[in-house]
């Protein structure tokens, strides 16, 4: 058996010359700063996690109270673990063990948003947080080994088995195990499998049982990989690529090491195409496509990029503009600070982007006027459907970037709450089509569900122009009365400075109707004399329209809440034909202000 024949499992150096070489590579300042912060942690009180705080989500729908306190407790443990690993003098062990015992004694490892209530001891909830905690415990135990007290080591093995590895192996009620006709798996599968199987790779001594755990995990991961399109694209967006595929890569590395190089889950062209996703979805430095519950400024973990770049020979991943961050704050899992210290990003030249990327299955077109000019105009548009992973009702949504800044936005994810993931999701501006640059038809927004989709009529890329034409009437409810709604977006490369042309051509089935074409921006906007100006000359657009045929109004939405980021002020620029019509078109010319 591969697992039996493998050499000793040493995914990270624990002592000796390899650890000394790592410390030299990190440098004195990085380690000194970590030790100083960890020393302060030894004197700080540990955040409390009382039952009443866990109940806050059930009672109010807010999840930040418990999660923020839990995240700070985790960050303290991560810093103390790294400090003891790198220094090895024992002065962090008392504080470290106190927090480790507290984590083992938490009634739930699962987040309140996923378990809703405190678990019965015989039925623990195996969610993202529980799985990540299992791997946290396993990697802490590996790094510090017999420096930890025997009772702690025995207890953490028992808790990881009871809460994560056992339920993963023996229960089939986890929705994320496999895709079914009712639900497709998503990032949860990669994260939960990586936590459960990864912990077992460290802890399980029965190789037959370990083989069973690994096989079960690989079967689930096969379903996860099928959630990507044929070119490696994910409708969850770049933010969830780093979470889901990042954890997939964490497990791939551990399994490669545990199998003595025999099992490589990162092998093959399809995996390379998935790994290229953050390169192909970058619009300009620091700006990414923000469709679905993904933001335009995602963070890609340095250790992940280093791992993929080296193992898959993809140096372009080192040039995404990410930077080493050794502060160890705000993490939900130990995997990333550990790999940041173990595999820091080397210096690299900025990635060279192409002028055009196209994900045919998802209907995503990403066009850059001049990839060598980071301030030139860029366009991203999606087709898709309204039953996607982390769905937003956003068929036909698009973004325009100029001056290195998002001017017309897909606003990304709203604040995660009970209502955001419940029946009221599409009353939230961020998830509804009202928050996207898509039409409103007879006062109706787009509808939820896979059947509400766009059909790609035409796609082309040339030196003159990139163009995508969609039929998107099906994205709206029948009550909207549409016979056809064709949206065409063009990046005109011939015009000096480039421009985007938007045309919404509509026809109603039975009677005259109203159609509003909407642009959404996070910047200041004003309208006068047939021109809407958004932003400023450093990063701004002018939208030319026929003022004789169209009215324009500005709907302002201040302080729209987001997850992990400050609230944003959004303005909906709404263009409406002056007269109802059975059919018609709205045409807008979108050009850089400069």
């Amino acid at each position: 058996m591969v697992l039996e024949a493998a050499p000793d499992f040493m995914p990270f150096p624990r002592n000796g010359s390899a650890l000394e070489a790592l410390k030299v590579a990190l440098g004195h300042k990085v380690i000194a700063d970590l030790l100083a912060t960890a020393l302060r942690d030894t004197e700080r009180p540990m955040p409390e996690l009382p039952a009443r705080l866990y109940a806050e989500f059930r009672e109010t729908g807010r999840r930040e109270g418990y999660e923020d306190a839990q995240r700070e407790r985790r960050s303290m443990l991560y810093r103390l673990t790294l400090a003891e690993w790198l220094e090895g003098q024992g002065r962090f062990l008392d504080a470290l063990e106190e927090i480790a015992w507290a984590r083992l004694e938490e009634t739930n490892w699962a987040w309140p948003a996923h378990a809703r209530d405190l678990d019965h001891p015989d039925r623990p909830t195996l969610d993202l947080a529980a799985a990540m905690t299992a791997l946290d415990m396993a990697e802490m135990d590996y790094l510090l080994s017999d420096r930890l007290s025997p009772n702690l080591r025995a207890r953490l093995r028992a808790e990881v088995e009871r809460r994560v590895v056992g339920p993963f192996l023996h229960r089939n009620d986890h929705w994320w195990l496999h895709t079914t006709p009712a639900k497709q798996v998503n990032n949860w599968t990669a994260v939960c499998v990586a936590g459960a199987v990864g912990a077992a790779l460290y802890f399980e001594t029965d190789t037959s049982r370990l083989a069973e755990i690994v096989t079960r995990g690989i079967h689930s991961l096969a379903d996860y990989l099928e959630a990507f399109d044929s070119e490696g694209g994910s409708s969850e967006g770049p933010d969830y690529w780093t979470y889901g595929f990042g954890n997939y890569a964490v497990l791939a590395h551990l399994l490669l090491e545990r199998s003595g190089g025999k099992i490589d889950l990162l092998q093959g062209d399809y995996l390379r195409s998935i790994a290229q996703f953050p390169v192909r979805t970058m619009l300009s430095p620091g700006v990414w496509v923000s469709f679905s519950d993904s933001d335009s400024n995602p963070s890609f973990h340095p250790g992940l990029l280093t791992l993929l770049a080296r193992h898959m020979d993809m140096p372009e991943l080192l040039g995404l503009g990410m930077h080493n961050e050794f502060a160890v704050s705000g993490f939900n899992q130990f995997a990333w600070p550990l790999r940041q210290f173990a595999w820091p990003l080397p210096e690299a030249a900025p990635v060279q982007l192409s002028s055009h990327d196209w994900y045919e299955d998802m209907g995503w077109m990403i066009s850059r006027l001049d990839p060598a000019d980071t301030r030139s105009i860029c366009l991203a548009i999606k087709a898709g459907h309204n039953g996607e992973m982390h769905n937003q009702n956003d068929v036909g949504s698009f973004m325009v970037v100029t001056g290195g800044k998002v001017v017309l936005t897909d606003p990304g994810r709203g604040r995660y709450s009970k209502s955001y993931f419940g029946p009221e999701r599409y009353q939230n501006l961020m998830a509804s089509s009202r928050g996207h640059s898509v039409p409103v038809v007879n006062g109706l927004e787009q509808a939820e569900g896979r059947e509400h989709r766009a059909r790609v009529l035409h796609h082309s890329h040339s030196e003159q122009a990139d163009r995508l034409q969609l039929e998107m009437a099906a994205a709206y409810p029948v009550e909207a009365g549409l016979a056809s709604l064709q949206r065409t977006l063009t990046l005109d490369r011939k015009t000096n400075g480039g421009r985007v042309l938007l045309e919404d051509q509509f026809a109603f089935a039975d009677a005259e109707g109203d159609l509003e074409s909407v642009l959404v921006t996070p910047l200041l906007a004003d309208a006068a004399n047939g021109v809407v100006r958004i932003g400023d000359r450093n990063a701004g657009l002018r939208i030319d329209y026929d003022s004789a045929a169209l009215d324009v109004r500005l709907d302002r939405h201040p302080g729209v809440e987001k997850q992990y980021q400050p609230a944003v002020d959004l303005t909906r620029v709404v263009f409406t034909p002056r007269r109802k019509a059975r059919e018609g078109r709205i045409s807008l010319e979108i050009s850089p202000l400069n």
Side-chain angles (χ1 to χ4, degrees):
M1 180 190 289
V2 166
L3 298 175
E4 288 180 340
D8 290 344
F9 182 45
M10 298 275 298
F12 302 99
R14 286 190 289 194
N15 48 46
S17 59
L19 183 59
E20 291 305 313
L22 173 60
K23 290 159 68 173
V24 170
L26 288 169
H28 173 76
K29 185 178 187 309
V30 167
I31 296 176
D33 288 348
L34 170 68
L35 297 181
T37 305
L39 196 59
R40 290 192 293 272
D41 285 330
T42 65
E43 301 172 353
R44 294 174 55 209
M46 177 174 50
E48 295 184 357
L49 296 174
R52 59 177 170 76
L53 197 58
Y54 201 92
E56 191 174 79
F57 176 81
R58 184 184 68 244
E59 294 168 357
T60 70
R62 296 188 72 88
R63 54 196 286 176
E64 292 86 356
Y66 186 89
E67 288 186 16
D68 287 351
Q70 186 194 58
R71 190 175 296 113
E72 181 52 31
R73 180 183 279 194
R74 292 177 183 215
S75 293
M76 291 175 70
L77 182 60
Y78 300 162
R79 291 189 291 265
L80 291 164
T81 301
L82 291 169
E84 184 59 38
W85 171 49
L86 293 171
E87 186 186 62
Q89 295 182 6
R91 60 175 173 155
F92 301 104
L93 284 174
D94 287 347
L96 181 157
E97 291 211 0
E98 182 178 358
I99 300 176
W101 277 112
R103 290 194 64 184
L104 294 173
E105 291 164 359
E106 292 168 10
T107 302
N108 280 31
W109 282 355
W111 280 321
H114 302 153
R116 303 299 174 100
D117 208 344
L118 295 173
D119 286 338
H120 189 279
D122 296 331
R123 196 75 175 175
T125 300
L126 178 45
D127 76 330
L128 302 166
M132 292 187 295
T133 300
L135 189 56
D136 284 0
M137 296 291 102
E139 297 201 313
M140 178 188 70
D141 179 85
Y142 167 82
L143 292 176
L144 303 183
S145 189
D146 57 9
R147 282 181 261 175
L148 299 174
S149 64
N151 283 352
L152 176 64
R153 299 189 74 192
R155 176 70 181 277
L156 66 85
R157 281 165 169 75
E159 291 299 324
V160 166
E161 173 64 29
R162 180 180 74 84
R163 298 177 191 245
V164 176
V165 176
F168 171 73
L169 181 59
H170 299 301
R171 280 169 42 192
N172 294 310
D173 59 334
H174 313 297
W175 70 262
W176 45 263
L177 268 179
H178 294 290
T179 292
T180 67
K183 192 172 185 68
Q184 184 182 47
V185 300
N186 59 16
N187 66 86
W188 274 62
T189 304
V191 176
C192 293
V193 170
V197 179
L201 291 173
Y202 283 104
F203 283 160
E204 183 55 63
T205 57
D206 181 339
T207 52
S208 294
R209 186 172 190 260
L210 180 58
E212 187 180 357
I213 294 166
V214 169
T215 300
R216 185 171 175 85
I218 289 175
H219 287 164
S220 288
L221 291 177
D223 281 7
Y224 169 68
L225 293 179
E226 288 182 359
F228 291 84
D229 83 348
S230 60
E231 295 188 55
S234 170
S235 66
E236 291 189 285
D239 260 312
Y240 279 98
W241 176 92
T242 198
Y243 191 34
F245 190 66
N247 275 272
Y248 177 98
V250 164
L251 180 59
H253 162 251
L254 294 176
L255 188 54
L256 186 73
E257 294 293 322
R258 181 62 182 81
S259 66
K262 300 295 185 183
I263 302 175
D264 187 356
L265 298 183
L266 291 172
Q267 195 172 40
D269 291 341
Y270 184 53
L271 271 298
R272 288 182 64 83
S273 70
I274 294 173
Q276 287 176 331
F277 187 61
V279 175
R280 299 185 64 192
T281 53
M282 179 195 281
L283 288 162
S284 66
V287 180
W288 274 263
V289 169
S290 59
F291 300 144
S292 186
D293 279 341
S294 190
D295 290 318
S296 62
N297 58 342
S299 177
F300 304 109
H301 301 298
L304 169 62
L305 300 179
T306 302
L307 167 65
L308 294 176
R310 290 176 179 173
H311 183 73
M312 305 180 80
D313 190 22
M314 297 178 64
E316 62 269 28
L317 292 172
L318 302 176
L320 293 177
M322 299 296 110
H323 302 284
N324 289 313
E325 177 52 69
F326 298 103
V328 192
S329 177
F331 287 99
N332 285 320
Q333 57 185 134
F334 185 49
W336 299 126
L338 169 57
R339 285 153 180 80
Q340 165 67 94
F341 278 80
W343 308 325
L345 271 176
E347 291 188 11
V351 64
Q352 299 297 308
L353 301 176
S354 67
S355 61
H356 176 266
D357 282 287
W358 170 239
Y359 286 99
E360 183 172 4
D361 296 351
M362 299 191 302
W364 287 22
M365 185 179 80
I366 301 158
S367 298
R368 309 166 187 90
L369 179 69
D370 180 2
D373 179 359
T374 60
R375 299 183 60 79
S376 66
I377 193 168
C378 305
L379 167 69
I381 177 175
K382 73 179 295 289
H385 58 80
N386 286 337
E388 296 172 341
M389 298 180 290
H390 272 268
N391 184 67
Q392 297 184 359
N393 289 343
D394 59 356
V395 169
S397 179
F398 69 99
M399 304 170 60
V400 177
V401 171
T402 188
K405 192 170 185 176
V406 178
V407 181
L408 298 182
T409 188
D410 185 301
R413 56 183 156 192
R415 184 177 67 80
Y416 287 4
S417 64
K418 184 188 293 186
S419 63
Y420 192 75
F421 288 103
E424 301 146 344
R425 178 177 177 87
Y426 300 106
Q427 296 174 27
N428 186 293
L429 184 70
M430 305 290 273
S432 75
S433 64
R434 286 182 300 117
H436 296 79
S437 296
V438 299
V440 175
V441 183
N442 279 329
L444 297 175
E445 303 169 18
Q446 293 184 7
E448 175 193 5
R450 191 180 185 90
E451 67 276 17
H452 297 290
R453 61 190 309 124
R455 180 164 51 93
V456 176
L457 301 178
H458 172 80
H459 165 257
S460 61
H461 163 60
S462 70
E463 293 182 358
Q464 288 72 42
D466 295 349
R467 182 171 292 110
L468 184 64
Q469 184 179 30
L470 308 175
E471 171 54 69
M472 45 191 286
Y476 293 83
V478 173
E479 294 78 8
L482 282 170
S484 174
L485 173 54
Q486 292 187 13
R487 163 161 282 192
T488 304
L489 269 158
T490 303
L491 178 65
D492 174 13
R493 300 180 177 278
K494 297 180 297 181
T495 301
N496 185 37
R499 61 177 179 165
V500 172
L501 304 176
L502 168 66
E503 181 180 277
D504 287 332
Q505 184 172 347
F506 58 91
F508 290 99
D510 300 315
E512 294 179 343
D514 292 315
L515 185 138
E516 299 175 339
S517 192
V518 180
L519 306 179
V520 179
T521 180
L523 306 181
L524 294 175
D526 64 77
N529 303 319
V531 177
V532 175
R533 290 177 174 80
I534 301 175
D536 55 36
R537 294 186 66 83
N538 290 322
L541 294 170
R542 64 173 286 156
I543 295 93
D544 291 274
Y545 65 98
D546 183 355
S547 58
L550 299 173
D551 287 326
V552 64
R553 73 175 191 274
L554 304 178
D555 292 344
R556 304 189 191 277
H557 297 266
V560 181
E561 290 185 303
K562 290 182 64 64
Q563 182 72 1
Y564 304 131
Q565 299 199 19
V568 63
D569 297 335
L570 295 177
T571 298
R572 301 174 70 246
V573 185
V574 183
F575 299 88
T576 309
R578 291 177 178 268
R579 298 179 182 82
K580 283 188 174 184
R582 182 76 176 267
E583 58 185 35
R585 74 183 64 207
I586 296 175
S587 299
L588 306 175
E589 180 181 332
I590 303 167
S591 309
L593 272 177
N594 58 3

